[in-house]
Amino acid sequence: MPKLFGTFGVRGISNLELTPKLALQLGSALGTHLKNRGRVAIGYDNRTSSEMLEQALTAGLVGGGCDVISVGLVPTPVLSFAIKHFRCDAGVMITASHNPPDFNGIKFWDSSGAGFQRAEERKIERIISKLAWRRVPWGRVGGTHQVDALTPYMRAVLATVSKIGRELKVVVDCANAAGSVATPSLLTRIGCKVVSLNCQLDGAFPGRLAEPSPENLKELAQTVMASGANLGIAHDGDADRTIIVSETGEVLTGDRVFALVALHHLRGRKRPKIVTTVATSSVLDDVAEKLGGEVVRTRVGEPEIIEYFRKGRGDIGGEENGGVIFFDWLPCRDGILTAAKLVEMLAGSGMKISELDATLPRYYQSKQKVGCPDELKPKVLKALEKRFVGYRLDRTDGLRVVTDDGWLLLRPSGTEPIFRCFAEARDAKRAEELAKLGMRELRACIRKLS
């Protein structure tokens, strides 16, 4: 059976790998999965292929007897919000998140506003592989309804965060993508003086690439310093992630953004539980210790964090990429609320971002990758376990090797023919040493097994 779903959703190059035909099949399969009835909310980002894919998905769903609630061009968290707000049975978000503009993706959501669980994704794959979708007779074809989801979402966020007591100047960089319709306006309404950067919608992402990595945020860092802003805020393509830049122009890693938000959001709670992945920094363990709570680590991917939350509960979730899940708000990453919470924290502290960041222990990371054919990945993992047999090993996802002064993670990508190597330590030199060790063993295993 062909594997369509990656770490989260179906993704590929638009009109080459992710075609209208595949979108139609996915819509038909979802309609069949829903027993040819129900309401499905569909939202999309502003990539040039998004409306095309929305129309194909809609055709598959209404042909399968479902009604489509079209929320239009919105950030991903707005789609999650809309599913519950409009009492839908499922949802679909058309976005490739941080990928380049030639990519697009299709993510399925359940009635709670959370991404489909792995078992549900496998059911969709089986329906498509067997061409087993069911279409309804002409008299039962579904309808389409256009709604405004952004207004009630913004109203709900404003009821969640406080209006700040001191004016902060914030540079907001939305990568010419979906966050442009929400974050600048929201921060203005809670009392910020907003400087917009790359906030004109353009599916080619001319201002910068959608991945909010340090190399793509140089203009934001320069603008923050040149304008005397208190901080900079950057989103990815669908605004479910937030990265921040300090007043000195330093780009904080996603782990540290998550850590700061967790400190603020969980303050005062008894024994809070932070749910994150094996790829996230130990700074979250430090935050949990400060709060008298605990950290639970899952496999990589938003659906894995949500699946744990469903079984074991939790107070906040997130990943090393700056995606934060407020479990008492929405069961999905919300970069817009994350931005508002960071501003709320900064305003209430009376400190600078660099000073807040300095309250957290400093860690250094090294992230590398090496090519590896998909069919070799399981064998490589087994070989790596033997090579690291003398260390503390965590096999939750890939192989996490824990040492007395750091850790490294060797993990096969779920979407590309590569193996990733993450390393972290309190010393930059030690982080590089761990990464070199991981890459040396990885290359040796791949070479031997090829």
Side-chain angles (χ1 to χ4, degrees):
M1 182 178 66
K3 190 173 185 293
L4 290 174
F5 290 84
T7 304
F8 190 4
V10 179
R11 202 170 296 191
I13 297 174
S14 302
N15 239 10
L16 180 64
E17 298 165 330
L18 187 51
T19 62
K21 179 180 178 181
L22 179 54
L24 176 69
Q25 292 176 340
L26 285 164
S28 298
L30 179 57
T32 301
H33 178 68
L34 295 172
K35 303 188 183 333
N36 302 105
R37 62 178 183 271
R39 293 155 59 88
V40 180
I42 299 183
Y44 55 86
D45 69 15
N46 62 308
R47 291 167 187 268
T48 57
S49 59
S50 289
E51 290 189 53
M52 170 187 77
L53 295 172
E54 185 216 22
Q55 291 170 14
L57 265 163
T58 299
L61 282 163
V62 299
C66 294
D67 289 327
V68 168
I69 308 302
S70 176
V71 302
L73 196 165
V74 293
T76 287
V78 178
L79 183 276
S80 174
F81 175 87
I83 292 168
K84 291 191 74 174
H85 186 75
F86 294 106
R87 297 182 178 87
C88 295
D89 300 285
V92 183
M93 185 66 195
I94 300 168
T95 179
S97 186
H98 61 279
N99 285 109
D102 54 333
F103 278 75
N104 217 326
I106 294 174
K107 297 179 178 181
F108 285 177
W109 305 77
D110 65 21
S111 59
S112 73
F116 262 25
Q117 296 182 60
R118 300 302 186 201
E120 293 176 294
E121 292 177 342
R122 299 291 89 83
K123 288 178 183 177
I124 298 296
E125 287 177 340
R126 280 196 291 273
I127 291 169
I128 291 175
S129 68
K130 295 178 180 178
L131 307 181
W133 51 77
R134 297 187 300 272
R135 296 196 174 101
V136 298
W138 67 270
R140 288 181 50 211
V141 168
T144 59
H145 312 274
Q146 300 231 335
V147 299
D148 172 17
L150 185 59
T151 298
Y153 168 85
M154 295 280 275
R155 192 181 300 125
V157 174
L158 287 167
T160 302
V161 295
S162 304
K163 193 160 185 178
I164 62 176
R166 63 181 177 119
E167 185 179 83
L168 297 176
K169 182 186 272 190
V170 184
V171 184
V172 179
D173 181 350
C174 292
N176 302 112
S180 305
V181 304
T183 303
S185 171
L186 177 72
L187 295 184
T188 299
R189 290 165 72 178
I190 65 174
C192 295
K193 182 178 181 182
V194 172
V195 178
S196 294
L197 180 66
N198 301 320
C199 289
Q200 306 87 359
L201 291 170
D202 189 326
F205 306 151
R208 68 163 171 87
L209 294 176
E211 173 75 24
S213 57
E215 58 269 25
N216 292 335
L217 299 181
K218 291 177 181 176
E219 185 185 13
L220 174 59
Q222 290 167 357
T223 305
V224 168
M225 291 187 291
S227 65
N230 298 94
L231 77 158
I233 286 173
H235 290 315
D236 60 339
D238 62 334
D240 67 347
R241 293 162 48 189
T242 291
I243 294 294
I244 59 175
V245 175
S246 75
E247 79 286 354
T248 64
E250 181 184 1
V251 180
L252 274 63
T253 64
D255 313 88
R256 299 184 80 79
V257 172
F258 178 22
L260 287 172
V261 172
L263 264 178
H264 175 59
H265 188 64
L266 301 178
R267 189 80 68 188
R269 301 197 189 193
K270 288 186 177 179
R271 296 184 293 280
K273 185 180 286 188
I274 299 172
V275 187
T276 189
T277 75
V278 293
T280 307
S281 170
S282 298
V283 74
L284 271 302
D285 298 279
D286 298 308
V287 167
E289 187 177 348
K290 277 188 178 185
L291 296 169
E294 65 174 312
V295 171
V296 175
R297 295 188 182 273
T298 71
R299 290 174 60 84
V300 171
E302 181 181 342
E304 308 293 345
I305 295 173
I306 294 297
E307 191 165 336
Y308 177 85
F309 169 66
R310 283 173 167 146
K311 294 175 182 176
R313 309 303 296 171
D315 295 281
I316 196 169
E319 301 176 83
E320 40 76 39
N321 55 21
V324 181
I325 307 168
F326 303 90
F327 291 131
D328 52 2
W329 164 245
L330 289 175
C332 87
R333 300 183 304 201
D334 192 334
I336 301 161
L337 182 58
T338 299
K341 288 281 186 181
L342 283 163
V343 166
E344 183 182 63
M345 180 186 194
L346 183 61
S349 71
M351 300 168 71
K352 299 176 181 178
I353 284 290
S354 60
E355 293 170 340
L356 283 171
D357 183 48
T359 65
L360 301 172
R362 175 65 61 182
Y363 289 93
Y364 296 87
Q365 297 177 339
S366 178
K367 298 184 179 184
Q368 301 181 35
K369 60 186 177 182
V370 63
C372 178
D374 290 337
E375 63 273 14
L376 282 186
K377 289 174 180 176
K379 295 178 182 177
V380 170
L381 263 181
K382 283 188 178 179
L384 285 169
E385 285 188 34
K386 293 177 181 177
R387 287 177 177 262
F388 287 100
V389 71
Y391 294 84
R392 281 180 288 152
L393 303 180
D394 181 343
R395 300 172 179 83
T396 300
D397 191 357
L399 191 69
R400 195 173 196 257
V401 182
V402 183
T403 70
D404 292 334
D405 56 357
W407 57 268
L408 71 95
L409 175 67
L410 303 166
R411 177 180 171 272
S413 169
T415 55
E416 302 173 78
I418 61 173
F419 239 93
R420 300 187 189 279
C421 174
F422 293 176
E424 179 181 86
R426 294 293 295 270
D427 176 81
K429 183 181 177 184
R430 180 57 177 155
E432 288 301 326
E433 287 173 354
L434 285 170
K436 282 182 183 178
L437 169 65
M439 291 298 288
R440 184 172 68 242
E441 298 296 345
L442 252 180
R443 289 192 176 102
C445 290
I446 293 168
R447 195 163 50 242
K448 186 176 180 181
L449 291 165
S450 293

